[in-house]
């Protein structure tokens, strides 16, 4: 597709279960970002991948959160032992990642996670 | 201390009533300032990137400007379809000049009544 694709679009899970959220960036984009948006809150940075460099994990809120990016393309965000406070929209974004001309960052529609 | 502050939090306008949204920021080195529009239940939609003080960009009824401390999003003669939350974000110059993450403000919710 032409844009950033995320799945699932909606996920309801029980407290304590693990969840995986998937992001397929725009073809050719080397930079990939994960953000979290809680109800009424701003976007919170989680993790950033750039090419083959080590990811910037500085925004991950706890060790229950992890992400990987295979083959420099698709990324999976995993939340283990989910808690109710993890309920939020998880947004993925991508950019060309090289120089100012490739700086535009495009977002997907998000994965809405509800922990009950 | 917030690095990106948007004001007002909410703005109600009548159709045709022009106004401005503010985004003030404090970062050590600005790589870019981004404006996005977000509709309910949707991901942010890219509008503009500004890189240096004095730069301006326009798109339909929207015009974004940038100074060393803040950016304005001017809305001229708004229509009801301009109703959305407008998000501002800054990107700092990273280590080694690499591209880093976006730091977002909390947004301004704009409502335009017919």
């Amino acid at each position: 597709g032409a844009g950033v694709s995320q799945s699932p679009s909606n996920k309801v899970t029980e407290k304590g279960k693990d969840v995986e959220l998937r992001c397929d960036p725009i073809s050719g984009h080397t930079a990939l970002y994960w953000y979290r948006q809680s109800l009424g809150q701003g976007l919170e940075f989680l993790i950033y991948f750039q090419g083959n460099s080590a990811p910037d994990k500085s925004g991950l809120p706890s060790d229950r959160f992890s992400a990987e990016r295979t083959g420099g393309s698709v990324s999976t965000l995993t939340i283990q032992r989910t808690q109710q406070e993890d309920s939020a929209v998880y947004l993925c974004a991508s950019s060309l990642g090289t120089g100012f001309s490739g700086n535009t960052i495009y977002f997907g529609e998000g994965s809405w996670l509800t922990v009950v | 201390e917030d690095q990106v502050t948007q004001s007002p939090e909410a703005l109600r306008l009548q159709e045709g009533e022009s106004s401005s949204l503010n985004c003030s920021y404090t970062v050590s080195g600005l790589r870019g300032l981004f404006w996005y529009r977000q509709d309910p239940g949707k991901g942010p939609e890219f509008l503009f990137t500004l890189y240096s003080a004095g730069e301006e960009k326009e798109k339909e009824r929207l015009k974004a400007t940038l100074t060393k401390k803040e950016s304005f999003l001017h809305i001229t003669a708004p229509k009801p379809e301009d109703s959305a939350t407008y998000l501002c974000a800054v990107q700092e110059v990273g280590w080694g000049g690499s591209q880093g993450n976006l730091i977002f403000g909390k947004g301004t919710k704009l409502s335009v009544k017919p």
Side-chain angles (χ1 to χ4, degrees):
Chain A
V4 177
S5 178
Q6 293 189 244
S7 61
S9 54
N10 285 283
K11 175 74 176 178
V12 179
T13 189
E14 292 181 351
K15 178 181 173 181
K17 300 282 190 183
D18 297 352
V19 296
E20 286 189 350
L21 307 176
R22 175 190 166 105
C23 173
D24 200 344
I26 294 171
S27 178
H29 281 193
T30 62
L32 186 147
Y33 309 76
W34 283 99
Y35 286 83
R36 177 170 72 175
Q37 188 174 31
S38 302
L39 189 63
Q41 300 298 311
L43 275 76
E44 175 190 4
F45 167 72
L46 297 177
I47 188 168
Y48 161 58
F49 296 90
Q50 171 59 64
N52 295 320
S53 302
D56 176 356
K57 303 180 182 180
S58 60
L60 294 178
S62 76
D63 58 8
R64 296 187 296 105
F65 288 73
S66 63
E68 62 177 20
R69 189 177 184 193
T70 54
S73 181
V74 172
S75 176
T76 302
L77 177 69
T78 301
I79 309 173
Q80 296 178 310
R81 305 181 302 281
T82 52
Q83 304 294 313
Q84 288 185 327
E85 60 262 29
D86 299 334
S87 297
V89 180
Y90 290 83
L91 289 158
C92 178
S94 72
S95 73
L96 282 172
T98 54
F100 286 96
S101 62
N103 212 23
T104 302
I105 299 172
Y106 298 94
F107 282 82
E109 298 292 5
S111 291
W112 293 66
L113 175 65
T114 303
V115 181
V116 298
Chain B
E1 180 182 338
D2 289 345
Q3 292 179 278
V4 182
T5 304
Q6 291 189 247
S7 62
E9 291 184 10
L11 181 62
R12 292 190 172 192
L13 299 173
Q14 288 296 127
E15 184 172 4
E17 179 186 2
S18 301
S19 188
S20 296
L21 282 55
N22 178 263
C23 172
S24 62
Y25 63 92
T26 53
V27 293
S28 55
L30 181 71
R31 185 179 179 99
L33 184 141
F34 295 73
W35 282 98
Y36 288 88
R37 168 190 172 130
Q38 188 173 29
D39 292 297
K42 302 287 187 180
E45 174 189 349
F46 171 76
L47 293 173
F48 305 107
T49 309
L50 301 167
Y51 295 106
S52 58
E55 189 175 1
E56 298 182 352
K57 287 191 176 174
E58 290 188 64
K59 180 180 180 180
E60 297 181 352
R61 295 177 292 282
L62 301 176
K63 179 181 177 181
T65 62
L66 180 65
T67 72
K68 288 186 177 180
K69 293 185 177 181
E70 59 191 348
S71 176
F72 291 93
L73 184 65
H74 306 279
I75 303 176
T76 302
K79 298 182 178 181
E81 53 262 41
D82 294 323
S83 297
T85 296
Y86 290 84
L87 300 171
C88 170
V90 298
Q91 187 177 51
E92 292 185 278
V93 175
W95 180 81
S98 65
Q99 190 172 18
N101 77 85
L102 294 176
I103 305 165
F104 278 87
K106 290 184 167 58
T108 293
K109 185 174 182 179
L110 174 66
S111 299
V112 182
K113 301 299 182 184

